[in-house]
Amino acid sequence: MSELMRQYLNVLAPTRSMPHGAGNFMHHLFGVHQILVAWGCAPAVCTAGLFHSTYGTEFYTDSLFDIAERQRLKQLIGNEAEALVYAFCRISRTSLLDDLPVEIDNGEYQVSEEQLAALRCIEMANLLEQQAAPDRSPAVFICRLWQLARSGVALDQRHPIMGVVEFSVEEEREALFAYQSALGLNPLDLDSVGELLNRCALGLVLGEPFILLAAIQLDRGDWAAAMCAAGEGRDILVRWGCPWDKRLSFGDWLALAGRVRELAELGATGTDLWPQLRSMLVSTGIR
């Protein structure tokens, strides 16, 4: 850990005892930071993500810093990152989707286009890190990320949400229903489960359905298809930097994809991996 990150950690230490969603505020702040790093965002944007709501926002009113302490935060993280933190805490989130200029402090300060692009990236990471159903299964929020990306963000074109031409809430709800239905079917009905998982992958947007498909293909002895699907799912997940289905951690999903590939390379038989995964997902509701 760098000396600078140690300083950040010391300053953020009180956030360990501040509740946020299913965990604590520190967990959320570091999660957003890690996602932005995974996306290759500029250092100032990643740092702003680490402190993104420490002044308190319209949705999260607890704060680590008072607005009167702006100079203290500037000295810690730099003027560029602090300006993004301040703007993120002062704006209305709906304004990030507007074509009109975004102003804060009753019009005293206008947010630049470059800052808006960065703020949309931070909001995307903020939503991705925390959005889930109460049992940590997927929730509907990817369409919101697509809307933010369409409004203009500083993201690599390889990001799964970039370049998607159409993405509606209805389409996302149908995908989520297909995913839930696949997990609810008899695990021995591989054809029906596979059809539903193919339907909910949303092209190349979501990685978890591919990884589960890979497990089914492994159980069937279709090792080439299993390796391909596991690799596709892993690549998509890595580009997101955070799971869509949070019943398993990011690391657990990656490890699962790697395990499927290992078993497929060995030509393993009788693994019964899909029933095991299905049972684990439907019974897991912890962070």
Side-chain angles (χ1 to χ4, degrees):
M1 182 185 296
S2 69
E3 179 56 34
L4 187 58
M5 188 55 72
R6 288 182 191 278
Q7 292 179 34
Y8 293 165
L9 187 60
N10 287 336
V11 170
L12 292 171
T15 61
R16 285 197 188 98
S17 60
M18 297 167 66
H20 186 285
N24 60 56
F25 194 25
M26 177 178 279
H27 184 284
H28 173 62
L29 293 175
F30 272 85
V32 170
H33 174 261
Q34 289 167 358
I35 291 169
L36 294 168
V37 170
W39 291 353
C41 292
V45 178
C46 296
T47 301
L50 183 59
F51 289 84
H52 70 277
S53 48
T54 52
Y55 288 132
T57 71
E58 60 181 323
F59 300 113
Y60 188 74
T61 55
D62 290 343
S63 62
L64 180 63
F65 292 92
D66 188 88
I67 292 296
E69 298 180 282
R70 287 193 66 185
Q71 190 58 39
R72 179 187 168 204
L73 189 56
K74 286 179 182 179
Q75 291 174 348
L76 179 66
I77 67 175
N79 290 344
E80 184 180 356
E82 190 279 335
L84 289 172
V85 173
Y86 180 73
F88 189 85
C89 292
R90 301 294 281 182
I91 61 170
S92 166
R93 302 292 172 80
T94 58
S95 67
L96 293 176
L97 297 176
D98 292 341
D99 292 330
L100 300 173
V102 176
E103 298 178 339
I104 55 178
D105 295 341
N106 296 318
E108 293 182 17
Y109 179 78
Q110 183 167 317
V111 182
S112 71
E113 284 298 320
E114 184 178 358
Q115 288 176 319
L116 276 176
L119 291 171
R120 291 183 188 116
C121 287
I122 294 170
E123 172 66 350
M124 288 175 68
N126 176 51
L127 289 171
L128 176 60
E129 194 284 327
Q130 65 184 312
Q131 293 299 315
D135 67 350
R136 308 302 292 159
S137 63
V140 174
F141 67 92
I142 302 294
C143 184
R144 176 72 174 183
L145 306 190
W146 178 76
Q147 292 170 340
L148 287 162
R150 291 267 292 181
S151 297
V153 288
L155 283 180
D156 190 292
Q157 290 301 310
R158 291 172 295 179
H159 190 281
I161 208 67
M162 301 300 288
V164 178
V165 178
E166 296 292 340
F167 203 106
S168 66
V169 172
E170 291 73 22
E171 182 181 12
E172 184 177 359
R173 284 178 177 152
E174 288 173 3
L176 182 54
F177 180 74
Y179 188 73
Q180 294 167 334
S181 299
L183 291 171
L185 286 180
N186 185 324
L188 300 179
D189 189 358
L190 299 183
D191 288 336
S192 297
V193 173
E195 181 182 342
L196 286 168
L197 288 174
N198 269 311
R199 192 187 306 169
C200 70
L202 294 173
L204 298 176
V205 175
L206 301 175
E208 288 91 335
F210 281 105
I211 296 173
L212 297 183
L213 273 171
I216 290 174
Q217 290 157 344
L218 177 70
D219 287 350
R220 282 179 153 167
D222 192 347
W223 300 302
M227 289 180 64
C228 182
E232 193 73 75
R234 184 189 185 282
D235 288 348
I236 294 171
L237 199 59
V238 166
R239 291 197 292 272
W240 274 114
C242 183
W244 171 62
D245 187 338
K246 297 178 176 66
R247 287 173 291 190
L248 296 182
S249 70
F250 182 58
D252 287 340
W253 278 111
L254 295 183
L256 175 57
R259 183 58 175 160
V260 172
R261 288 181 63 87
E262 287 177 6
L263 292 171
E265 287 177 353
L266 293 171
T269 58
T271 57
D272 290 328
L273 185 58
W274 162 245
Q276 296 174 48
L277 289 176
R278 174 191 172 277
S279 177
M280 180 169 57
L281 286 171
V282 297
S283 64
T284 301
I286 59 174
R287 190 174 182 88

